[in-house]
């Protein structure tokens, strides 16, 4: 950690002194990460455990990791048939990316 692992005191929204006397920056998108992991097979679970990209709170996560894809040579390909969009259906990749419509800072 930037502060040598010392605990910081003070409000989360302001710079504050750490136990070591080093100034800790306020948490922001450059210093704080809440990475959420979503698997494409969660769509096949039985109700009530079935889960789709729209079930993710876009304000809960700073980053979303979507699994899975297949690596062929040096290119990624869809793992499931419905991962990529078609003219008639919005695919899971695009549905996940659409969460940025609610939170533009989501990665």
């Amino acid at each position: 950690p930037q502060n040598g692992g010392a605990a910081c005191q003070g409000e989360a929204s302001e710079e504050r002194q750490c136990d070591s006397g080093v100034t800790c920056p306020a948490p922001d998108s450059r210093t704080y990460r809440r990475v959420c992991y979503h698997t494409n097979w969660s769509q096949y679970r039985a109700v009530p455990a079935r889960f789709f990209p729209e079930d993710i709170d876009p304000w809960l996560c700073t980053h979303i990791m979507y699994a899975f894809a297949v690596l062929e040579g040096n290119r990624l390909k869809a793992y499931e048939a419905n991962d990529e969009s078609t003219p008639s259906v919005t695919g899971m990749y695009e549905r996940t990316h659409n969460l940025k419509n609610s939170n533009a800072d989501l990665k």
Side-chain angles (χ1 to χ4, degrees):
Q2 183 175 352
N3 65 3
C8 293
Q9 305 298 318
E11 296 297 317
S13 61
E14 63 185 19
E15 286 194 354
R16 60 239 189 252
Q17 285 298 115
C18 297
D19 291 344
S20 65
V22 175
T23 300
C24 297
D28 62 22
S29 62
R30 293 168 296 169
T31 59
Y32 178 80
R33 305 279 190 272
R34 179 175 286 156
V35 180
C36 299
Y37 180 79
H38 176 66
T39 59
N40 58 6
W41 49 262
S42 62
Q43 65 186 308
Y44 302 120
R45 293 180 188 151
V47 173
R50 185 170 296 148
F51 201 81
F52 294 98
E54 296 80 10
D55 296 318
I56 299 170
D57 179 348
W59 297 100
L60 175 66
C61 313
T62 59
H63 295 70
I64 296 178
M65 305 295 289
Y66 183 90
F68 295 94
V70 176
L71 185 62
E72 286 188 5
N74 62 352
R75 297 188 59 98
L76 290 176
K77 292 189 69 169
Y79 187 82
E80 294 285 342
N82 67 342
D83 282 340
E84 293 184 307
S85 296
T86 66
S88 59
V89 177
T90 304
M92 293 295 202
Y93 294 150
E94 185 175 348
R95 290 168 65 179
T96 302
H97 187 266
N98 286 344
L99 294 171
K100 289 182 69 66
N101 295 336
S102 296
N103 178 1
D105 293 329
L106 185 62
K107 308 286 185 225

